[in-house]
C-alpha cells in the first residue's frame, strides 16, 4: 500500500505526500453517506438479503471518507489514517462480488435451462458466484494482509525497508488477482449484453404477464426491463476495472510516484469511479427485476433436473 507506507516513516510530518483537501473529503463523505442510507433503505424494502454485501461496502466507503475528513485535520494520527485508507481500498472488492452475484441471478432469470451452455455463458451460472467470489476473497485477504504488514513495520528497524517492500508486493499480488478475475468477468458480462437479446421474447411466454411492463415470477410482480439492470452491471464492472488499474499503477509507482504525491487522482479514479457503482443500483435495484435474492437459490431456479449447465 503505497500511501500507508508513509505511516512508517518518522521523518515525514504527515502521512500524506500532499496537502489533503478537507472540502473535497467532506463532499465525498456526504455523497457516500447518502448513497449508503438509500442503499440500506432499498435493501430492507426489497428484502434483497444477498444485497447486504453492497450495503456493507457502501458503509465502508461512507465511513472511509468520514474518516478521511478527520484524518486530513490530524495528519499525524496514524490509526485514523490507516483506517480510512483501508476501508476505501477494500470496499470495491466487495462491490465486485455483488456484480458476480447479480450477473449470475440475471442468467437464471432470462436464460432457459436448456440454453445455459458453455458457449453462451463461458462459466456455469451456478459456479459464477463461487469461482469469482473466491478470487475476490483471495484478493481481499492479500490486500488486507499487505496493509497490515506495512502499517506494523517499525521505521527504526534495520529491515524496515525490506518489510515495507514485502507488504507492498503482497498488496500488488492481491490487486493483480482482482484485476485478472474481474477483467475476465467484464468481458463475459459485456458480451452477454448482446447474446442475451435472443431470450427477451421468451420471458413473456415463461412468466405470467401483468400489463406491458411487468410479469409475475414466483408470485411476485417484477419489472420486465431487466436489460437496464444488466447495463448497470456492465457499467459498474467497467468502472471497478478502471479503479483497479489505477490502484495497481499507484502501488507499482511507490511513495514517490505521481499518483501518490497528488490528491486529484484519488478522487477522479477511485471516489468518482466507485460512486456510480453504489448510486445507480439505488434506482435500478436488483429487487425490481430479480426473483432470487436470498443467499441461496431455490432448487426451482436450476430446473427440473437440478443441473442447468451443458457443454455445447
Amino acid at each position: 500500500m503505497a500511501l500507508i507506507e508513509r505511516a512508517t516513516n518518522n521523518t515525514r510530518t504527515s502521512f500524506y505526500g500532499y496537502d489533503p483537501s478537507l472540502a473535497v473529503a467532506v463532499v465525498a463523505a456526504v455523497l457516500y453517506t447518502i448513497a449508503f442510507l438509500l442503499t440500506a433503505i432499498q435493501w430492507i424494502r426489497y428484502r434483497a438479503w444477498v444485497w447486504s454485501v453492497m450495503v456493507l461496502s457502501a458503509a465502508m466507503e461512507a465511513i472511509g471518507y468520514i474518516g478521511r475528513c478527520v484524518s486530513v485535520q490530524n495528519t499525524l494520527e496514524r490509526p485514523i489514517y490507516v483506517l480510512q485508507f483501508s476501508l476505501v481500498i477494500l470496499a470495491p472488492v466487495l462491490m465486485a462480488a455483488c456484480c458476480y452475484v447479480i450477473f449470475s441471478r440475471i442468467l437464471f432469470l432470462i436464460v432457459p435451462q436448456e440454453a445455459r451452455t458453455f458457449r453462451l455463458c463461458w462459466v456455469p451460472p451456478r459456479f459464477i458466484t463461487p469461482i469469482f467470489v473466491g478470487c475476490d476473497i483471495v484478493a481481499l485477504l492479500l490486500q488486507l494482509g499487505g496493509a497490515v504488514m506495512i502499517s506494523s513495520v517499525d521505521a527504526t528497524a534495520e529491515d524496515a525497508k525490506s518489510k515495507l517492500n514485502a507488504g507492498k508486493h503482497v498488496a500488488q499480488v492481491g490487486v493483480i488477482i482482482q484485476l485478472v478475475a474481474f477483467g475476465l468477468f467484464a468481458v463475459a458480462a459485456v458480451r452477454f449484453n448482446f447474446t442475451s437479446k435472443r431470450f427477451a421474447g421468451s420471458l413473456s411466454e415463461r412468466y405470467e404477464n401483468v400489463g406491458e411492463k411487468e410479469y409475475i415470477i414466483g408470485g411476485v410482480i417484477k419489472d420486465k426491463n431487466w436489460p437496464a439492470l444488466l447495463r448497470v452491471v456492465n457499467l459498474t464492472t467497467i468502472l471497478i476495472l478502471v479503479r483497479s488499474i489505477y490502484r495497481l499503477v499507484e502501488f507499482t509507482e511507490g511513495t514517490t510516484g505521481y499518483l501518490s504525491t497528488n490528491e486529484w487522482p484519488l478522487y477522479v479514479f477511485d471516489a468518482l469511479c466507485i460512486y456510480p457503482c453504489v448510486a445507480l443500483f439505488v434506482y435500478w435495484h436488483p429487487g425490481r427485476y430479480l426473483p432470487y435474492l436470498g443467499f441461496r437459490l431455490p432448487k426451482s431456479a436450476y430446473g427440473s433436473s437440478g443441473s442447468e449447465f451443458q457443454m455445447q
Side-chain angles (χ1 to χ4, degrees), residues 2-3 6 16-18 250 253-262:
L3 292 177
R6 296 193 180 89
Y16 299 90
Y18 46 78
E250 180 195 32
E253 285 185 340
T255 58
T256 59
Y258 182 84
L259 296 181
S260 295
T261 54
N262 290 271

Side-chain angles (χ1 to χ4, degrees), residues 117-124 184 187-188 191 309:
T117 62
F118 184 82
R119 180 179 297 178
L120 176 73
C121 307
W122 289 4
V123 178
L184 293 173
V187 173
R191 172 181 175 273
F309 185 65

Side-chain angles (χ1 to χ4, degrees), residues 142-160:
L142 286 171
Q143 291 180 60
L144 180 59
V148 171
M149 289 172 65
I150 292 171
S151 60
S152 62
V153 172
D154 181 0
T156 62
E158 294 182 359
D159 59 348

Side-chain angles (χ1 to χ4, degrees), residues 134-146:
C135 292
D136 239 24
I137 292 174
V138 173
L140 178 68
L141 293 176
L142 286 171
Q143 291 180 60
L144 180 59

